[in-house]
Amino acid sequence: MISSQALQEVLDGLKAITRIDISVLEANGKVVATTVANLLHTNLPSAVDFAKNDADSQVVAGSQYFKVLDKGIVEYIVVIKADHQRAYTIGRLAAFQIEGLIAAYKERFSRSNFMKNLLLDNFLLSDIYSRGKRLSIDGAARRVVYYIDCDGEDETEVSKHIKEGVASKEKDFVTTLDRHYVVLVKELKKREESMDEVLSYATVICDVIFSKTKKKMKVGIGTQAEDLRYVSRSYKEAKMALEVAHIFGLEEQAISYENLGLYRLIHQLPKSLCEMFVKESLDGFALDSMDEETLTTINKFFEYNLNLSETARQLYIHRNTLVYRLDKLQRATNLDLRNFDHALTFKTALLVGKYIAYKEKNKII
């Protein structure tokens, strides 16, 4: 069904041209759009009888009624005052325009449905190109998928902001597959755009949404899909990129699957292997036994590239205090963070520990 807002826009445009009031009713007689004051949402019982008879148009109680058909079924009824000399012509034009609108909406819905099923891998490979061709979707165009976290906002509203402020109506697809997440399938302008260009577009998405909602949202980005059959792969990658960002606390707004590196590697490891690595690397030391002060010290030490003096300055502590804390950790784990290899092992163990905690919290085996 067409939205009442779209129908109202059609009627307002026709009235501006003809200066004649027009109403559109559902087959049950309910007024869904009108240029007549106080008529909206009322019921005209005579329309129900008209919908059931065989006539395409009919004069009833001083008004001319016209059927709007979709494959022979009455979808709407157009009503216009019959005493105007151009009533029949204008009524037929209104019905014709609404029938065209129905066809456009059905095509748009079909394209959206196709893309949803494509993202979810619901097609056989042989069906993808034939169905896409019937819907005038370019099968050879390069595309990339953006997976947008709505940060608690209504996904339908966020989807609307993206459609109005970011996406191309002809080439891009905006849909929702998961609650509080929006998917944008973006057709790339060139045969191969650089990752910087793909990332910059994600920044545009974030800026547009922030201007409307005042919330900073994260966007996961998949790899570029060479043609339609790889779009679902890009979707899965974009979704994984956002999941990885949440697990490891990545602060960037735009997270590309291609740039995840070690995070992606850890995310693909089985839990049993992760637990074994942490136990063996830390000599049995339990990561959750660290106090906040120790964890802050370690993170700052990594942030400033294992530089003792700079880390101590940033923590507002004496250099010897920092050395004492690192020595204490070394006695517990048998790892000296001043040694690059040991630091790399401990950093990896911290990340693996976050991944294990995420799996346990979400009861993932």
Side-chain angles (χ1 to χ4, degrees):
M1 294 289 284
I2 305 171
S3 69
S4 56
Q5 181 182 354
L7 288 170
Q8 189 63 51
E9 289 174 358
V10 170
L11 299 193
D12 290 340
L14 287 171
K15 183 176 181 181
I17 297 169
T18 65
R19 308 297 182 188
I20 296 176
D21 284 314
I22 310 173
S23 301
V24 174
L25 291 63
E26 292 179 343
N28 61 8
K30 182 181 178 181
V31 180
V32 291
T34 182
T35 60
V36 181
N38 302 320
L39 192 61
L40 192 63
H41 304 313
T42 60
N43 286 280
L44 298 181
S46 55
V48 179
D49 294 331
F50 169 65
K52 293 177 181 177
N53 67 39
D54 295 330
D56 290 334
S57 65
Q58 185 176 345
V59 177
V60 181
S63 294
Q64 184 99 28
Y65 286 51
F66 303 87
K67 289 178 181 175
V68 177
L69 304 174
D70 178 27
K71 294 184 177 179
I73 299 173
V74 179
E75 285 288 333
Y76 297 103
I77 297 169
V78 173
V79 180
I80 188 170
K81 283 294 182 182
D83 57 359
H84 192 282
Q85 60 181 359
R86 292 183 296 155
Y88 182 81
T89 302
I90 294 169
R92 294 297 299 173
L93 282 172
F96 178 75
Q97 188 160 353
I98 294 171
E99 285 177 353
L101 200 59
I102 291 173
Y105 262 67
K106 287 182 71 175
E107 180 184 357
R108 184 174 176 183
F109 177 76
S110 297
R111 286 163 66 90
S112 178
N113 235 22
F114 168 81
M115 191 55 66
K116 282 185 178 182
N117 282 295
L118 181 66
L119 292 170
L120 295 173
D121 268 337
N122 289 340
F123 290 132
L124 295 173
L125 183 60
S126 57
D127 290 337
I128 292 175
Y129 299 105
S130 59
R131 292 189 183 211
K133 187 176 181 179
R134 286 202 299 270
L135 294 169
S136 301
I137 297 173
D138 185 358
R142 296 178 72 88
R143 295 176 174 88
V144 66
V145 175
Y146 296 89
Y147 191 70
I148 301 135
D149 183 351
C150 298
D151 192 23
E153 289 287 317
D154 182 0
E155 61 269 21
T156 56
E157 281 299 308
V158 175
S159 178
K160 178 184 173 183
H161 299 324
I162 294 173
K163 287 178 181 177
E164 293 177 350
V166 182
S168 164
K169 292 182 180 179
E170 293 78 20
K171 298 182 178 182
D172 300 339
F173 294 87
V174 182
T175 187
T176 54
L177 297 176
D178 306 294
R179 193 179 179 192
H180 301 315
Y181 293 90
V182 173
V183 180
L184 167 62
V185 182
K186 173 71 179 171
E187 184 174 320
L188 303 178
K189 294 179 181 179
K190 295 183 290 187
R191 285 301 300 169
E192 187 169 3
E193 296 193 28
S194 68
M195 180 49 63
D196 287 341
E197 290 172 309
V198 173
L199 284 169
S200 67
Y201 195 80
T203 303
V204 172
I205 295 171
C206 293
D207 290 344
V208 167
I209 298 174
F210 181 77
S211 69
K212 300 292 184 179
T213 66
K214 304 306 177 188
K215 286 191 175 181
K216 293 184 177 180
M217 299 183 180
K218 287 185 179 293
V219 180
I221 309 167
T223 57
Q224 295 183 30
E226 293 83 2
D227 59 42
L228 274 178
R229 62 177 168 165
Y230 297 117
V231 170
S232 62
R233 181 199 65 192
S234 184
Y235 164 67
K236 292 170 187 173
E237 292 168 345
K239 191 173 182 179
M240 181 193 288
L242 207 53
E243 182 181 353
V244 169
H246 288 314
I247 293 172
F248 297 110
L250 305 184
E251 296 181 357
E252 297 91 338
Q253 277 192 279
I255 304 98
S256 169
Y257 177 84
E258 290 185 5
N259 295 339
L260 289 176
L262 181 60
Y263 300 111
R264 192 172 86 200
L265 176 63
I266 294 172
H267 184 269
Q268 294 171 335
L269 295 174
K271 183 184 175 186
S272 57
L273 189 59
C274 291
E275 291 172 333
M276 185 187 304
F277 173 79
V278 171
K279 183 178 180 180
E280 292 177 354
S281 300
L282 303 183
D283 200 24
F285 177 75
L287 288 170
D288 56 9
S289 68
M290 281 191 299
D291 55 44
E292 192 64 35
E293 181 183 75
T294 302
L295 189 57
T296 301
T297 300
I298 293 168
N299 287 333
K300 280 291 180 184
F301 193 52
F302 288 146
E303 183 181 345
Y304 289 96
N305 301 314
L306 315 185
N307 187 309
L308 284 168
S309 299
E310 185 60 27
T311 302
R313 191 176 72 83
Q314 292 294 328
L315 291 171
Y316 301 102
I317 59 176
H318 194 278
R319 191 176 187 275
N320 290 344
T321 303
L322 175 58
V323 170
Y324 168 78
R325 292 179 184 177
L326 295 177
D327 287 342
K328 182 180 177 183
L329 184 67
Q330 183 179 359
R331 289 192 294 272
T333 63
N334 205 27
L335 292 174
D336 182 2
L337 299 195
R338 288 157 290 195
N339 177 287
F340 176 78
D341 288 340
H342 288 196
L344 179 60
T345 299
F346 194 88
K347 176 68 173 178
T348 304
L350 280 178
L351 295 176
V352 172
K354 285 186 178 181
Y355 182 54
I356 293 171
Y358 167 80
K359 283 207 162 192
E360 290 177 345
K361 180 181 178 182
N362 292 278
K363 299 178 181 179
I364 301 173
I365 299 175

